[in-house]
């Protein structure tokens, strides 16, 4: 035991490690360490005689004390090399020596060492960086000094490796820092609008922003919305598929080198991810067993925000960033307690725990709502959610089939929701690459392959009854209801001439029922039906087009969200429809009134 008396530190021959100066001063078994080197009258055998309780213990205790004293005094026989930094050494050389001397202790990270080199030339650098980081933190973007230094390397060196900045000059550091602040301010301003990223918590790692920084350091800003979307497309792919897990430095340096050599690098960067893992498309199986720690969890949250997701109990938007009870929580749709107690799952079974905690069993709610729902089963609270906020479940990609809301169908619920998440992710990614003028031509086959969803619906025909082989004008109302639902919701695409399972049937039978028996005749009949049921005012929000596919012709009707409520006229009554997941449903007067108030004010 060591203690610090006035004359120095001491060694406890008796083994008591507690520090008490008065007690130690009165204890002959405590000897100041400095006395062990200066005095020659220290006798371990005398000390052992005073310390030992039994006489037979004195010899062994004395031998231990003597060994300790010899070991302590041998310290002065060791050689301790001294590294002298010459006065002619540069700051960089001095920092390198410092890092080598401390290499056996707590070694500086590469980022800390790089910052030390920067501060050696520009002493105020750390202070300025910390102040700026604190300012971004107030905007919900929490960046570490390591991230900031990495970005400064990208701006000033066009690299990702920290050591490349060691020789930076003060003027280079200041100029680079000025540019970096401008770039980060720009990134923070566009991430919420174009990527639905409202906080660094929405990203699996901030490293995915470093290539953005490198690109914007060269170009100042994204020059068009199309370029922004391609950059977001890459950001989602890199974040979702862990581009920078593992050998981060090498991968970042590789990607930044692509950016330095290419003014339009995003396709090449995405191809690098595909080369790494084979694909970027998401399948339902990719979600199996994935919990909140996987990047796909954050991506699911982004998907919900991209669909204007809201809280199920209070209707608040999911992109809110307030303190206290309005922090977004991860809610188990099927409560864990119920799954373990009544669902047959065992908490000590690893596979069961993965199923219980899957992303597909998570929704995003404010804290108050998470607590209010507690351990309620979805079959108990989903009907009320649908009544109060009709679109809320669909926006969070939750199956609306009541059969799937009961414990015995839990795994069927998971399968359905995994498929919904995967489909929506792929649709979002495909949409980011589509140029507006090519969107229809490029995506018709993709829509059919992806299947029906909240924004896509198939109809086998317009008014030709395939089963009865005759005209059935009642089918026209079904088409009108779908269009009305899209107008009152988030818009979408209706494909006429496609069966529910995606089989292309075409519209030739419908065309044959028109007076002219051609596409123009079909188009006129379609428009007349829309005007009769929905009114002329909806025309600006619809676009009908015809597409040859599999030796058939498919009619596609693209519908934009209406700026106000649209009612379907059916005889003397008016009906109000919205989209519920992949189906169109009517609302009663009370629900329609509440919905219209929430959506249009």
């Amino acid at each position: 035991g060591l203690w610090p008396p006035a004359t120095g530190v001491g060694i406890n021959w008796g083994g008591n490690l507690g520090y008490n100066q008065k007690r130690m001063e009165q204890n002959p078994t405590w000897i100041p360490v400095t006395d062990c080197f200066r005095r020659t009258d220290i006798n371990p055998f005398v000390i052992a005689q005073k310390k030992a309780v039994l006489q037979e213990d004195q010899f062994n205790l004395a031998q231990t004390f003597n060994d300790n004293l010899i070991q302590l005094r041998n310290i002065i026989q060791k050689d301790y090399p001294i590294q002298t930094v010459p006065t002619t050494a540069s700051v960089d050389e001095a920092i390198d020596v410092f890092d080598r001397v401390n290499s056996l202790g707590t070694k500086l990270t590469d980022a800390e060492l790089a910052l030390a080199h920067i501060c050696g030339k520009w002493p105020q650098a750390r202070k300025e960086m910390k102040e700026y980081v604190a300012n971004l933190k107030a905007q919900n973007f929490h960046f570490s000094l390591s991230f900031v230094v990495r970005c400064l390397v990208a701006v000033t060196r066009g690299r990702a490796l920290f050591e490349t900045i060691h020789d930076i000059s003060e003027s280079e550091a200041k100029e680079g820092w000025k540019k970096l602040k401008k770039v980060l301010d720009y990134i923070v301003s566009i991430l919420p609008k174009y990527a639905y990223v409202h906080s660094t918590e929405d990203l699996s790692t901030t490293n995915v922003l470093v290539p953005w920084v490198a690109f914007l350091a060269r170009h100042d800003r994204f020059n068009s919305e199309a370029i922004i979307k391609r950059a977001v497309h890459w950001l989602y792919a890199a974040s979702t598929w862990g581009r920078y897990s593992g050998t981060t430095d090498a991968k970042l340096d590789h990607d930044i080198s692509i950016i330095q050599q290419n003014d339009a690098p995003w396709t090449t960067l995405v191809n690098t991810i595909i080369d790494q893992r084979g694909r970027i498309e998401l399948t339902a199986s990719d979600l199996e067993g994935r919990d909140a720690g996987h990047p796909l969890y954050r991506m699911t949250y982004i998907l919900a925000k991209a669909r204007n997701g809201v809280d199920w109990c209070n209707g608040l938007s999911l992109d809110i960033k307030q303190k206290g009870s309005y922090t977004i929580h991860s809610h188990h749709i099927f409560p864990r307690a119920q799954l373990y107690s009544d669902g047959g799952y065992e908490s000590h079974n690893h596979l069961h725990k993965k199923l219980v905690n899957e992303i597909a069993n998570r929704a995003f709610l404010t804290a108050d709502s998470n607590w209010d729902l507690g351990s309620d089963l979805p079959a108990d609270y989903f009907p009320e959610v649908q009544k109060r906020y009709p679109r809320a479940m669909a926006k969070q990609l939750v199956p609306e089939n009541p059969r799937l809301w009961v414990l015995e169908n839990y795994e069927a619920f998971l399968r359905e929701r995994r498929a919904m998440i995967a489909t929506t992710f792929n649709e979002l990614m495909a949409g980011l690459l589509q140029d507006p003028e090519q969107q229809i031509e490029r995506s018709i086959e993709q829509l059919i392959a992806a299947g029906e969803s909240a924004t896509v619906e198939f109809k086998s025909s317009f008014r030709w009854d395939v089963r009865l082989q005759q005209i059935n004008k009642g089918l026209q109302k079904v088409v009108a209801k779908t269009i009305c639902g899209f107008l009152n919701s988030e818009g979408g695409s209706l494909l006429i001439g496609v069966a529910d399972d995606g089989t292309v049937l075409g519209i030739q039978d419908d065309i044959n029922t028109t007076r002219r028996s051609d596409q123009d005749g079909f188009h006129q009949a379609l428009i007349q039906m829309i005007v009769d049921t929905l009114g002329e005012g909806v025309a600006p929000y619809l676009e009908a087009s015809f597409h040859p596919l599999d030796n058939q012709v498919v009619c596609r009707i693209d519908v934009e969200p209406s700026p106000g409520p649209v009612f379907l006229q059916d005889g003397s009554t008016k009906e109000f429809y919205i989209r519920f997941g992949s189906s169109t449903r009517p609302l009663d007067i009370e629900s329609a009134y509440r919905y219209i108030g929430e959506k249009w004010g």
Side-chain angles (χ1 to χ4, degrees), residues 14 37 49 54 86 93 109 135 162 202 207 234 316 321 337 342 432 452 458-459 489 577 585:
F37 294 98
Q49 188 177 17
L54 301 175
E93 290 171 333
T109 65
N135 178 58
F162 287 110
D202 296 341
N207 282 328
W234 171 84
L316 289 173
K321 286 296 177 183
D342 301 326
L432 290 169
E452 293 181 306
F458 304 153
K459 294 299 178 189
S489 302
Y577 291 90
R585 298 188 187 179

Side-chain angles (χ1 to χ4, degrees), residues 439-441 443-444 447 493-496 543-547 554-558:
Q439 188 168 347
I440 294 176
E441 289 74 16
S443 62
I444 184 74
L447 286 178
S493 297
L494 171 62
L495 304 185
I496 302 177
E543 181 179 353
S545 54
F546 298 91
H547 304 269
V554 172
C555 176
R556 170 172 174 168
I557 305 172
D558 288 300

Side-chain angles (χ1 to χ4, degrees), residues 458-474:
F458 304 153
K459 294 299 178 189
S460 297
S461 64
F462 171 52
R463 61 185 182 186
W464 180 255
D465 192 316
V466 177
R467 185 175 62 85
L468 299 178
Q469 290 293 296
Q470 64 184 33
I471 294 176
N472 179 357
K473 291 192 175 182

Side-chain angles (χ1 to χ4, degrees), residues 14-83:
N16 188 341
L17 300 181
Y19 171 73
N20 186 312
Q21 184 171 352
K22 290 185 178 180
R23 179 171 55 80
M24 291 176 179
E25 287 175 344
Q26 303 301 320
N27 189 340
T29 63
W30 281 90
I31 308 296
V33 170
T34 52
D35 286 359
C36 293
F37 294 98
R38 294 183 302 189
R39 289 171 49 187
T40 59
D41 61 338
I42 298 175
N43 190 330
F45 293 92
V46 174
I47 297 172
Q49 188 177 17
K50 297 177 181 179
K51 183 66 178 177
V53 177
L54 301 175
Q55 185 174 2
E56 54 267 29
D57 293 335
Q58 290 182 13
F59 179 79
N60 291 334
L61 197 57
Q63 188 65 47
T64 299
F65 290 168
N66 190 55
D67 291 342
N68 290 345
L69 181 60
I70 293 173
Q71 186 176 3
L72 177 64
R73 286 173 170 171
N74 282 341
I75 290 176
I76 61 176
Q77 306 299 323
K78 296 182 179 294
D79 292 328
Y80 295 95
I82 298 174
Q83 175 71 55

Side-chain angles (χ1 to χ4, degrees), residues 408-480:
E408 52 266 34
N409 290 331
Y410 173 63
E411 292 190 31
F413 172 90
L414 292 182
R415 288 192 295 271
E416 178 69 15
R417 191 160 189 242
R418 290 180 200 133
M420 294 174 70
I421 293 171
T423 298
T424 305
F425 173 83
N426 293 331
E427 288 178 350
L428 177 63
M429 292 290 277
L432 290 169
L433 297 181
Q434 291 173 348
D435 296 327
E437 63 273 14
Q438 298 177 330
Q439 188 168 347
I440 294 176
E441 289 74 16
R442 291 178 59 186
S443 62
I444 184 74
E445 293 182 347
Q446 294 175 344
L447 286 178
I448 294 175
E452 293 181 306
S453 67
T455 57
V456 177
E457 182 154 333
F458 304 153
K459 294 299 178 189
S460 297
S461 64
F462 171 52
R463 61 185 182 186
W464 180 255
D465 192 316
V466 177
R467 185 175 62 85
L468 299 178
Q469 290 293 296
Q470 64 184 33
I471 294 176
N472 179 357
K473 291 192 175 182
L475 297 177
Q476 293 184 171
K477 182 182 177 181
V478 178
V479 171

Side-chain angles (χ1 to χ4, degrees), residues 4-266:
T7 55
V9 295
I11 183 168
N12 178 7
W13 296 94
N16 188 341
L17 300 181
Y19 171 73
N20 186 312
Q21 184 171 352
K22 290 185 178 180
R23 179 171 55 80
M24 291 176 179
E25 287 175 344
Q26 303 301 320
N27 189 340
T29 63
W30 281 90
I31 308 296
V33 170
T34 52
D35 286 359
C36 293
F37 294 98
R38 294 183 302 189
R39 289 171 49 187
T40 59
D41 61 338
I42 298 175
N43 190 330
F45 293 92
V46 174
I47 297 172
Q49 188 177 17
K50 297 177 181 179
K51 183 66 178 177
V53 177
L54 301 175
Q55 185 174 2
E56 54 267 29
D57 293 335
Q58 290 182 13
F59 179 79
N60 291 334
L61 197 57
Q63 188 65 47
T64 299
F65 290 168
N66 190 55
D67 291 342
N68 290 345
L69 181 60
I70 293 173
Q71 186 176 3
L72 177 64
R73 286 173 170 171
N74 282 341
I75 290 176
I76 61 176
Q77 306 299 323
K78 296 182 179 294
D79 292 328
Y80 295 95
I82 298 174
Q83 175 71 55
T84 303
V85 181
T87 57
T88 57
S90 67
V91 172
D92 289 328
E93 290 171 333
I95 293 173
D96 285 337
V97 169
F98 173 80
D99 189 49
R100 291 182 184 182
V101 168
N102 286 279
S103 61
L104 296 181
T106 303
K107 184 175 174 58
L108 294 175
T109 65
D110 290 341
E112 291 168 336
L113 186 58
L115 183 56
H117 280 277
I118 295 169
C119 292
K121 322 297 177 45
W122 178 26
Q124 294 78 29
R126 182 186 293 271
K127 179 176 180 292
E128 288 209 19
M129 289 180 183
K130 292 182 71 173
E131 289 176 351
Y132 180 70
V133 165
N135 178 58
L136 291 182
K137 185 177 180 180
Q139 302 176 55
N140 296 303
F141 285 88
H142 301 235
F143 294 126
S144 66
L145 284 182
S146 296
F147 168 80
V148 172
V149 172
R150 176 90 76 179
C151 290
L152 189 59
V153 175
V155 169
T156 60
R157 294 293 183 261
R159 298 287 303 277
L161 305 181
F162 287 110
E163 65 261 25
T164 59
I165 205 173
H166 287 187
D167 62 349
I168 195 171
S169 66
E170 180 179 3
S171 61
E172 285 180 304
K174 288 183 175 179
E175 188 61 31
W177 177 239
K178 180 180 178 181
K179 178 179 287 189
L180 176 57
K181 288 194 295 182
K182 182 179 177 181
V183 167
L184 288 177
D185 285 341
Y186 176 65
I187 288 176
V188 167
S189 71
I190 67 172
L191 278 174
K193 180 178 180 181
Y194 291 101
Y196 307 100
V197 172
H198 297 83
S199 165
T200 43
E201 294 177 8
D202 296 341
L203 298 171
S204 58
T205 171
T206 55
N207 282 328
V208 294
L209 297 178
V210 177
W212 272 34
V213 169
F215 179 86
L216 293 168
R218 295 185 62 215
H219 301 276
D220 291 331
R221 60 199 312 105
F222 297 115
N223 292 326
S224 70
E225 186 170 328
I227 295 176
I228 293 179
K229 288 183 176 181
R230 287 186 176 274
V232 171
H233 178 267
W234 171 84
L235 182 80
Y236 287 164
S239 183
T240 299
W241 301 119
R243 169 60 180 162
Y244 300 121
S245 60
T247 55
T248 302
D249 288 357
K251 291 176 182 176
L252 270 174
D253 206 46
H254 172 272
D255 291 351
I256 291 177
S257 70
I258 291 175
I259 290 171
Q260 296 301 316
Q261 301 166 24
N262 190 341
D263 288 336
W266 306 112

